[in-house]
Amino acid sequence: MSSPYTVRWGILATGWIAETFTKDLLTNPASRDVHDVRHEVFAVSSSSSKDRAAEFIKKVDAPSSTKAYGSYHELVADPDIDIIYVATPHSHHFQNAMLALDAGKNVLCEKSLTVTAAQTRKLIETARSKNLFFMEAVWTRYFPLSIKVRELITSGAIGNVYRTIADLSVGRDAPEGKIDFPDENRMVNADLAGGALLDLGIYALTWVFQSLYHTQPEAEKEAPNVLAAINKYHTGADETTSIILQFPKHKSHGIALTSLRVASEPDNKDTAGASIRIQGGRGEIQVIGPAYRPHQLRVITKESDGKAEVIDFAIPKDKERDWGHGMFWEADEAARCLRDGQKESKTLPWSESIVIMEVMDETLKQGGVTYPELISTDVFDPQSPLNTGKR
Ligand SMILES: NC(=O)C1=CN([C@@H]2O[C@H](COP(=O)(O)OP(=O)(O)OC[C@H]3O[C@@H](n4cnc5c(N)ncnc54)[C@H](OP(=O)(O)O)[C@@H]3O)[C@@H](O)[C@H]2O)C=CC1
Ligand SMILES: O=C1OC[C@@H](O)[C@H](O)[C@H]1O
């Protein structure tokens, strides 16, 4: 057997998801039965300080040879890095991803990809013109569970799919009209592109798009009509957002729901039932667990006499590290694309990221949510405070 293709990662930012993703990179691929690619955490950068990057390297138990940088500029200039993982708040994604692409680096960028569709289009134009790989890090798409759902749909297991209802809501209602996040927190802070839609609604939309758009033959893919309702929080960010997406040619509807007030899973014990229901003419697929990290499918068809076929999908753990979150599958996808010279992932092509961002743009427009110019401009500025870390 040939040796696995190795990818050297540069981690841009040192927050919560950077830590989770990097720990996944450090797991042994064999623990998820992957043998063709492997990952090296080559360098980590923090806009706060070099010490913070060094602490991060220790915390995730990366090799002591991992480089620590005290700025994003230094990271993207490192000639030995194959790909940059952008793990800053959404407000920063456009400038940070542009910084990396401009330096000639491939990029995996956290969700939501950008604040506006124009920013997404600019990033994709840049990646295309520089012949670089670029991918939105919606990790759920790469789960074996998601692959199975797409197979079930395309094989006709539930007939023609006419409707998908998808909810990701986290239930952080607090007394006196408050939401249980400090106003400065990225979840509700408009300066950091906070709000339910960009942070959580992207997953509800992911399920609508996986089931009603992605599974269509290329020539038949259509951008949906959008009807949205938004309740705004006092910070200006959206706290509850509901979207109806109509795909007219296919006579299908997607209902994407998200809220910081109510919870899709009030007790995290699956008692609320499916947070995603994909409904076809001959049956439905129910997806159990949070929309970003589901763990079970229930397939109910007209022929099954009301009995669900239950399929469980455990997230494999590396026993030596006692870790496995599920983000490694998207990293494996990025690695295979780099190995094969593909500039975009077939599982989440650039065109689809653009249509999804356009739906989010339209939703925010209908709800009257706007974000500051600094974070919504599509003009790249290497010296933007979003790139230099000046806060
Ligand atoms: N895929 C998934 O499951 C998840 C994805 N996410 C996405 O990841 C991104 C980051 O989220 P998360 O890790 O929770 O956020 P954190 O606040 O925990 O971390 C963000 C990091 O970005 C850097 N940063 C740079 N400028 C700022 C600023 N002005 N304010 C705050 N941080 C700044 C900091 O790193 P430094 O100081 O080192 O530069 C900070 O640690 C978001 O886009 C979010 O949507 C989040 C959670 C789960
Ligand atoms: O991407 C995410 O998934 C998990 C959520 O808890 C988090 O807020 C969000 O950013």
Side-chain angles (χ1 to χ4, degrees):
M1 194 192 266
S2 60
S3 52
Y5 180 83
T6 302
V7 171
R8 288 162 302 182
W9 290 83
I11 309 296
L12 190 148
T14 57
W16 172 44
I17 207 60
E19 183 179 329
T20 307
F21 179 80
T22 306
K23 282 158 84 174
D24 263 17
L25 285 183
L26 291 164
T27 57
N28 182 350
S31 62
R32 55 185 178 279
D33 206 17
V34 164
H35 304 278
D36 59 331
V37 291
R38 59 184 285 276
H39 308 280
E40 250 179 46
V41 178
F42 190 81
V44 174
S45 70
S46 171
S47 61
S48 310
S49 67
K50 186 175 173 181
D51 283 352
R52 185 169 159 95
E55 273 163 35
F56 177 95
I57 290 166
K58 266 202 193 141
K59 193 170 177 196
V60 300
D61 196 19
S64 54
S65 56
T66 307
K67 289 186 184 173
Y69 289 122
S71 77
Y72 300 159
H73 282 261
E74 286 170 280
L75 181 81
V76 302
D78 186 323
D80 294 321
I81 291 172
D82 296 319
I83 182 166
I84 302 284
Y85 169 63
V86 174
T88 46
H90 343 302
S91 46
H92 291 47
H93 291 175
F94 171 70
Q95 295 292 347
N96 299 163
M98 280 297 284
L99 190 74
L101 292 171
D102 191 54
K105 288 289 186 283
N106 301 298
V107 171
L108 174 66
C109 180
E110 258 311 327
K111 41 60 60 178
S112 63
L113 189 49
T114 51
V115 181
T116 70
Q119 292 179 333
T120 291
R121 285 191 289 265
K122 183 67 79 70
L123 285 168
I124 288 170
E125 274 164 31
T126 308
R128 184 179 282 117
S129 70
K130 289 181 163 272
N131 202 25
L132 292 166
F133 172 78
F134 178 67
M135 179 175 127
E136 177 179 3
V138 182
W139 56 313
T140 319
R141 286 231 178 191
Y142 304 92
F143 278 32
L145 177 148
S146 289
I147 295 168
K148 179 71 182 176
V149 168
R150 297 194 295 267
E151 278 170 9
L152 285 166
I153 292 171
T154 50
S155 69
I158 57 166
N160 212 2
V161 181
Y162 290 111
R163 191 170 64 184
T164 293
I165 308 167
D167 178 23
L168 179 59
S169 301
V170 294
R172 300 293 287 257
D173 189 43
E176 296 166 10
K178 294 276 176 58
I179 290 175
D180 187 17
F181 286 111
D183 286 357
E184 317 72 66
N185 187 282
R186 71 165 185 84
M187 294 297 289
V188 289
N189 182 347
D191 290 337
L192 297 178
L197 179 66
L198 292 180
D199 193 66
L200 305 170
I202 176 66
Y203 290 105
L205 287 170
T206 290
W207 283 100
V208 167
F209 271 81
Q210 286 208 96
S211 54
L212 300 178
Y213 179 96
H214 189 82
T215 39
Q216 297 290 346
E218 208 48 49
E220 288 176 29
K221 287 180 178 164
E222 58 179 329
N225 298 322
V226 172
L227 183 63
I230 282 186
N231 288 350
K232 278 204 263 184
Y233 192 42
H234 73 85
T235 57
D238 62 307
E239 58 174 54
T240 297
T241 294
S242 307
I243 317 170
I244 301 177
L245 301 96
Q246 180 194 35
F247 298 87
K249 271 198 286 185
H250 296 101
K251 298 191 187 307
S252 61
H253 287 184
I255 320 285
L257 307 169
T258 185
S259 178
L260 302 174
R261 292 276 181 204
V262 296
S264 17
E265 301 189 286
D267 60 4
N268 294 321
K269 290 193 180 124
D270 298 343
T271 48
S275 50
I276 294 127
R277 294 178 68 187
I278 300 165
Q279 301 176 304
R282 286 187 39 227
E284 77 173 55
I285 304 166
Q286 300 181 344
V287 184
I288 310 295
Y292 52 84
R293 197 172 183 254
H295 60 87
Q296 188 184 78
L297 297 180
R298 295 178 190 162
V299 186
I300 305 154
T301 59
K302 282 190 174 158
E303 294 78 38
S304 66
D305 209 19
K307 258 203 182 152
E309 181 195 354
V310 177
I311 318 174
D312 288 307
F313 291 85
I315 309 254
K317 253 193 187 180
D318 177 333
K319 293 211 173 71
E320 267 178 45
R321 284 192 163 259
D322 192 24
W323 182 261
H325 194 68
M327 305 191 88
F328 33 58
W329 285 306
E330 70 179 348
D332 295 343
E333 168 72 3
R336 290 185 184 117
C337 287
L338 292 184
R339 178 195 63 192
D340 300 342
Q342 282 176 33
K343 304 305 167 194
E344 58 184 313
S345 163
K346 290 195 175 83
T347 305
L348 182 46
W350 290 345
S351 55
E352 194 165 339
S353 286
I354 290 173
V355 178
I356 294 175
M357 269 315 308
E358 286 172 348
V359 168
M360 297 211 275
D361 258 11
E362 177 60 25
T363 299
L364 294 169
K365 188 173 147 209
Q366 290 183 21
V369 174
T370 53
Y371 291 108
E373 175 64 14
L374 177 71
I375 65 167
S376 44
T377 179
D378 61 358
V379 177
F380 171 49
D381 175 5
Q383 294 310 319
S384 160
L386 306 175
N387 280 327
T388 61
K390 279 199 191 113
R391 298 192 188 165

